[in-house]
């Protein structure tokens, strides 16, 4: 029997460093939370505050999951995963950032963005045509939904228009899949207030700081969940324990790979829901380059559209830092990740050459990039409902036998694919457990 660190809520039922930490030989908890990403942490916080005994089992050596800030040799933080607090006015992480003193930038939309097509910045008339094409896509998506269709974005939209490549590329960043792989229902259901505020000090670090005081057992890979009895048996690489409830927050990428055995097997409806919400891929590729090389007039966000290649969004010297960050999504992200870091570096260099000319390239000093598909504990970027499957988010969020709950970004009805959406699903699971445990 392993020794587990048990945190239980003291009388005042608030989270604080004053919590009593008991190191006890105990293998029965009210709740085991699997995964210490935003969803698992959100669930654990509320459960502890409600006075339940909770442990979070995390397979990795670190907290945060897809919220992960790395500190580079020059001292600057680099978010390998989430970076933007989307829908800021309804995003709980804005208040948390204020409370913890994390800096962020307030922006409407994503802020000013210039598009460079075939070597020239878009003029007024091209911008107007792009804006019209984008509006027409939105209307076409609505029409599909109004007709009761949950078809793919590829089927719903004009795939012959002038701006198809750019709009398809933007979809691959928003959804982490290509247009033929995502249901229009996902685009309709997603709540977007058009306020995307980047966390200057790192969204990953923000989540990690927010986690302080939550009992997370790292390097504890869950291998089996036996939910055949009233008390669930959770087996992990650190030993077995029991609990009345389990909150599963691992990604659908992990759930789809059968690395965690469920006894008995999950019902077909849940398995179908997991299969209908696969992860796509999305990577951030950072090159080190002096900020001073760029004309101060050029905004931080630009898009490069060469004649013979995919478009790429580039963040140029963000917050004055000496770097450029290129973004890739969908199958292209998978292709580059598989081909290796030098291929990703080369395409960002190509885009820099396309927009700024070749002289700049000799100043590039090094690179760092995410590789989410290859992370065995995540296996992709974020969930996208396959065509016809957007209803599955609601199915996956249903509690099984009043004891096994699923949370995580894929289970959010309207803020999936986001960090705050994930945290809110954790809170939803906690509220349900609190209600069930009172009966
Ligand atoms: C490149 C990229 C950019 C993004 N950008 C943004 C953004 O700008 N804004 C935004 O809001 N969102 C963004 N997201 C999405 C956001 O990061 C995720 O939606 C969110 O962090 C998911 O949280 P989660 O708790 O659902 O899952 P996760 O973070 O995946 O947490 C699940 C945890 O389970 C653990 N785990 C897996 N298997 C096991 C096991 N067997 N046993 C125990 N533990 C296990 C994992 O290690 C992980 O820590 C981005 C994601 C990526 C990849």
């Amino acid at each position: 029997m392993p020794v587990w660190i048990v945190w239980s809520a003291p009388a005042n039922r608030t989270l604080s460093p004053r919590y009593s930490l008991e190191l006890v030989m105990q293998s029965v908890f009210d709740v085991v939370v699997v995964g210490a990403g935003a969803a698992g942490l959100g669930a654990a916080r509320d459960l502890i505050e409600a006075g339940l005994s909770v442990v979070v089992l995390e397979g990795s050596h670190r907290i945060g999951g897809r919220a992960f800030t790395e500190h580079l040799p020059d001292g600057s933080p680099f978010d390998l995963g989430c970076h933007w607090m989307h829908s800021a006015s309804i995003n709980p992480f804005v208040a948390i950032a204020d409370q913890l003193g994390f800096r962020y930038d307030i922006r409407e939309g994503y802020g000013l963005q210039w598009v460079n097509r075939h070597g020239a910045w878009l003029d007024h008339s091209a911008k107007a045509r792009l804006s019209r094409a984008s509006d027409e896509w939105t209307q076409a998506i609505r029409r599909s939904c109004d007709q009761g269709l949950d078809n793919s974005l590829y089927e719903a939209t004009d795939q012959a228009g002038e701006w198809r490549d750019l709009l398809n590329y933007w979809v691959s960043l928003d959804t982490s899949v290509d247009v033929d792989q995502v249901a229009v229902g996902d685009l309709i259901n997603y709540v977007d207030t058009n306020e995307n505020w980047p966390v200057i000090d790192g969204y990953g670090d923000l989540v990690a700081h927010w986690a302080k005081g939550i009992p997370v057992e790292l390097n504890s890979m869950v291998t089996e969940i036996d939910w055949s009895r009233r008390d669930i048996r959770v087996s992990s690489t650190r030993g077995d324990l029991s609990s009345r409830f389990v909150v599963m927050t691992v990604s659908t990428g992990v759930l789809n790979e059968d690395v965690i055995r469920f006894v008995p097997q999950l019902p077909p409806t849940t398995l179908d829901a997991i299969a209908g919400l696969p992860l796509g891929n999305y990577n951030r590729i950072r090159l080190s380059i002096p900020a001073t090389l760029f004309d101060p007039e050029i905004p931080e966000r630009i898009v490069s559209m060469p004649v013979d290649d995919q478009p790429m969004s580039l963040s140029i010297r963000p917050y004055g830092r000496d770097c450029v960050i290129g973004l890739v999504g969908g199958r292209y992200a998978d292709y580059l990740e598989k081909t290796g870091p030098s291929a990703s570096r080369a395409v960002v260099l190509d885009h820099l050459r396309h927009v700024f000319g070749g002289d700049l390239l000799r100043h590039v000093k090094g690179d760092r990039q995410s590789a989410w598909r290859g992370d065995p504990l995540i296996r992709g970027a974020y969930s996208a409902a396959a065509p016809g499957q957007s209803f599955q988010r609601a199915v996956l969020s249903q509690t099984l036998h009043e004891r096994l709950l699923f949370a995580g970004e894929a289970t959010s009805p309207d803020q999936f694919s986001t960090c705050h959406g994930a945290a809110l699903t954790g809170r939803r699971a906690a509220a349900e457990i609190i209600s069930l445990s009172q009966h």
Side-chain angles (χ1 to χ4, degrees):
M1 187 187 291
V3 176
W4 294 98
I5 298 170
V6 179
W7 290 66
S8 49
N12 67 2
R13 304 202 163 179
T14 57
L15 269 177
S16 87
R18 289 179 285 113
Y19 256 33
S20 59
L21 172 67
E22 308 157 43
L23 192 59
V24 290
M25 292 286 285
Q26 180 179 331
S27 61
V28 182
F29 292 84
D30 291 323
V31 189
V32 170
V33 176
V34 183
L41 297 168
R45 284 189 85 85
D46 285 4
L47 291 164
I48 292 166
E49 284 186 7
L52 299 176
S53 64
V54 179
V55 67
V56 182
L57 301 183
E58 168 54 55
S60 169
H61 62 285
R62 64 171 181 84
I63 281 174
R66 284 169 271 178
F68 181 22
T69 306
E70 199 165 86
H71 291 266
L72 297 174
D74 67 359
S76 61
F78 173 47
D79 277 321
L80 288 151
C82 55
H83 182 60
W84 301 80
M85 294 189 289
H86 298 305
S87 297
S89 53
I90 54 168
N91 185 325
F93 281 107
V94 173
I96 295 165
D98 288 338
Q99 210 181 333
L100 296 176
F102 274 68
R103 292 172 304 156
Y104 52 83
D105 210 13
I106 295 177
R107 295 186 183 180
E108 192 187 329
Y110 282 97
L112 181 64
Q113 178 162 258
W114 287 6
V115 176
N116 185 302
R117 187 164 65 152
H118 309 167
W121 299 111
L122 292 193
D123 61 18
H124 189 67
S125 112
K127 278 189 211 158
R129 292 200 307 281
L130 172 56
S131 169
R132 242 189 339 267
S134 171
D135 289 348
E136 279 163 19
W137 267 43
T138 308
Q139 285 158 20
I141 291 165
R142 286 224 177 88
R143 270 199 305 278
S144 259
C145 252
D146 291 347
Q147 289 163 22
L149 298 174
D150 193 25
N151 51 351
S152 75
L153 213 58
Y154 177 84
E155 291 162 302
T157 54
D158 173 15
Q159 287 294 321
E162 179 187 5
W163 300 101
R164 177 197 64 173
D165 289 350
L166 182 55
L167 295 172
N168 284 355
Y169 167 72
W170 276 333
V171 167
S172 79
L173 300 186
D174 284 347
T175 65
S176 83
V177 294
D178 292 332
V179 279
D180 59 314
Q181 298 172 304
V182 61
V184 293
D186 252 12
L187 282 99
I188 291 289
N189 294 335
Y190 182 76
V191 168
D192 187 357
T193 67
N194 200 33
E195 306 149 293
N196 304 293
W197 297 359
V199 184
I200 297 171
D201 294 324
Y203 209 158
D205 272 359
L206 174 60
V207 171
H209 276 70
W210 176 61
K212 287 213 170 104
I214 296 175
V216 178
E217 289 290 309
L218 297 174
N219 300 306
S220 304
M221 178 85 127
V222 170
T223 52
E224 185 175 294
I225 311 266
D226 181 345
W227 58 297
S228 57
R229 289 178 293 271
R230 180 72 193 87
D231 278 344
I232 302 183
R233 192 104 196 125
V234 179
S235 303
S236 82
T237 47
R238 301 268 310 281
D240 297 354
L241 44 80
S242 292
S243 64
R244 279 189 65 199
F245 302 97
V246 166
V247 183
M248 286 298 298
T249 72
V250 305
S251 74
T252 51
V254 170
L255 290 170
N256 262 321
E257 294 289 331
D258 286 339
V259 284
I260 301 172
R261 189 162 171 256
F262 289 88
V263 181
Q265 217 188 35
L266 294 173
T269 45
T270 308
L271 292 174
D272 286 350
I274 293 166
L277 301 167
L279 299 192
N281 200 8
Y282 170 29
N283 281 319
R284 295 163 55 83
I285 306 160
R286 181 193 190 277
L287 303 185
S288 296
I289 184 165
T292 48
L293 293 177
F294 298 98
D295 185 335
E297 285 217 333
I298 307 280
E300 183 222 304
R301 286 174 62 78
I302 65 164
V303 177
S304 154
M305 294 182 70
V307 178
D308 52 358
D309 206 348
Q310 304 240 11
M312 181 180 278
S313 179
L314 295 163
S315 182
I316 306 287
R317 32 111 176 93
Y319 329 114
R321 290 179 185 143
D322 292 325
C323 70
V324 163
I325 301 167
L327 307 177
V328 287
R331 292 184 181 98
Y332 188 53
D334 273 339
Y335 162 75
L336 286 177
E337 187 178 320
K338 241 185 224 156
T339 312
S342 52
S344 299
R345 177 189 162 96
V347 294
V348 180
L349 289 174
D350 280 348
H351 283 282
L352 281 179
R353 185 185 295 110
H354 167 244
V355 179
F356 300 106
D359 275 2
L360 218 62
L361 306 190
R362 63 198 164 88
H363 300 283
V364 173
K365 287 276 169 29
D367 61 79
R368 179 69 181 99
Q369 39 195 280
S370 61
W372 288 103
R373 185 69 81 192
D375 183 330
L377 289 163
I378 311 289
R379 300 180 186 233
Y382 29 87
S383 64
Q389 304 294 308
S390 59
F391 70 98
Q392 299 285 18
R393 297 193 187 279
V395 176
L396 189 56
S397 66
Q398 280 161 20
T399 303
L400 301 179
H401 290 206
E402 299 195 336
R403 52 182 182 266
L404 178 57
L405 297 90
F406 288 85
E409 57 85 14
T411 69
S412 169
D414 52 8
Q415 289 166 81
F416 40 84
S417 314
T418 69
C419 187
H420 70 284
L424 291 172
T425 66
R427 300 196 66 182
R428 178 192 65 208
E432 180 148 3
I433 289 174
I434 292 161
S435 157
L436 286 168
S437 60
Q438 282 160 357
H439 297 149

